[in-house]
Amino acid sequence: MDGADEELTREEPELFMFLASTAHDMKNSISVLCCTLERLLVDQAGKDAQSYPQMAHMLYEAKRLNNNLIQLLALYKEVGKPGYPYDPQGIWLGDFVELVQAQNKVLLASKHITLEIDIDPGQDWYFDEDLILGVVSHAINNAVHYTKDQILLLMRIQGEELEIRVEDNGEGYPPGMLERGNAALCGRAQGVSFANNSTGLGLYFSSEVAKMHKNRGRSGSVRLENGGRLGGGCFVLRLP
């Protein structure tokens, strides 16, 4: 290790502390923004205000950002420990879907998008609820950009795997996006698009979360495809 590396290593704890402090301040500010938006939405409810859908979308995105910052701070607290606090448990699919619906209700309602559910609520599976909730909500958020007015969340046990599908009734993913998406899922660099604010990291992180779920020598996986029951884009997550 040369002098520059030693200097960087010595400064890393202070750098992490500074980044965590900045993230914490951002989280507090966004929490205040969320509370303010919720009060404004309550005041505007039933008044047919033109700004209501935009405000609802702002609240949805602000809550997503707040949740992501909380996860980032949780990771900071785990620095120096074996890894992320991966916590798989037996989860009832019906309870999980209620969380998905609650987290995305405002956004979907503001855009007049119907979320169709196809599950057996009496079935359960073993997974990290917080991580998979983030993956599914990310997939629904993507589907909102492509759907005409309908999204399907389908969860079914096939053999020794749970398959979770988020499908839309849009035109389907263009070939270039399927290629870039699959590259991101494999961790291959696809570049950053400032035009559409895309880094591909969302798909990459979804793939990493899927791989954390292992059973009998098999790991979870993610893929993108077109078709499905609604004929549009499909996000497919499989957990062993």
Side-chain angles (χ1 to χ4, degrees):
M1 180 180 294
D2 60 24
D5 290 338
E6 290 179 357
E7 185 70 20
L8 181 60
T9 302
R10 200 162 49 244
E11 292 178 352
E12 278 181 348
E14 290 77 9
L15 176 61
F16 286 142
M17 178 66 77
F18 173 76
L19 292 175
S21 177
T22 301
H24 189 260
D25 286 344
M26 292 167 62
K27 180 189 72 66
N28 288 342
S29 296
I30 291 171
S31 294
V32 173
L33 175 63
C34 288
C35 291
T36 303
L37 283 171
E38 285 178 338
R39 286 197 296 271
L40 289 172
L41 283 169
V42 169
D43 292 340
Q44 294 296 322
K47 295 181 180 178
D48 197 26
Q50 293 183 350
S51 60
Y52 188 89
Q54 288 82 5
M55 291 170 59
H57 196 177
M58 288 173 60
L59 176 60
Y60 171 79
E61 296 294 347
K63 283 188 172 180
R64 283 189 67 217
L65 181 55
N66 194 51
N67 290 339
N68 290 339
L69 287 171
I70 290 173
Q71 285 187 330
L72 184 65
L73 290 168
L75 280 173
Y76 168 74
K77 291 176 69 177
E78 295 298 317
V79 169
K81 298 181 180 178
Y84 184 88
Y86 173 62
D87 185 26
Q89 299 182 22
I91 305 293
W92 292 106
L93 301 189
D95 293 341
F96 178 75
V97 166
E98 286 183 4
L99 291 176
V100 173
Q101 289 174 308
Q103 191 165 104
N104 296 279
K105 179 180 177 181
V106 173
L107 173 66
L108 297 174
S110 69
K111 294 183 176 295
H112 307 290
I113 295 173
T114 301
L115 178 63
E116 179 185 349
I117 304 295
D118 185 351
I119 65 163
D120 181 346
Q123 289 184 323
D124 66 311
W125 202 253
Y126 205 69
F127 56 85
D128 186 307
E129 186 176 61
D130 288 338
L131 289 176
I132 298 304
L133 178 61
V135 170
V136 172
S137 293
H138 175 76
I140 290 176
N141 186 50
N142 277 343
V144 164
H145 297 295
Y146 294 98
T147 186
K148 294 175 182 174
D149 57 7
Q150 190 176 5
I151 294 174
L152 167 67
L153 171 60
L154 184 152
M155 302 176 71
R156 59 190 175 196
I157 296 173
Q158 292 189 323
E160 297 182 344
E161 290 187 323
L162 172 66
E163 183 177 79
I164 303 176
R165 301 179 65 93
V166 177
E167 304 180 0
D168 66 69
N169 65 343
E171 300 299 325
Y173 300 122
M177 181 173 178
L178 283 176
E179 182 179 347
R180 290 193 299 274
N182 288 325
L185 290 172
C186 296
R188 299 198 302 272
Q190 63 154 350
V192 174
S193 171
F194 289 95
N196 58 22
N197 201 31
S198 173
T199 63
L201 287 174
L203 284 172
Y204 172 70
F205 289 142
S206 295
S207 177
E208 293 301 300
V209 167
K211 292 175 184 174
M212 292 173 72
H213 291 75
K214 302 178 186 295
N215 187 23
R216 299 179 180 177
R218 292 177 293 112
S219 301
S221 64
V222 170
R223 72 174 187 272
L224 298 180
E225 62 186 33
N226 286 328
R229 189 184 301 178
L230 301 182
C234 306
F235 173 91
V236 185
L237 167 65
R238 297 182 70 91
L239 301 175

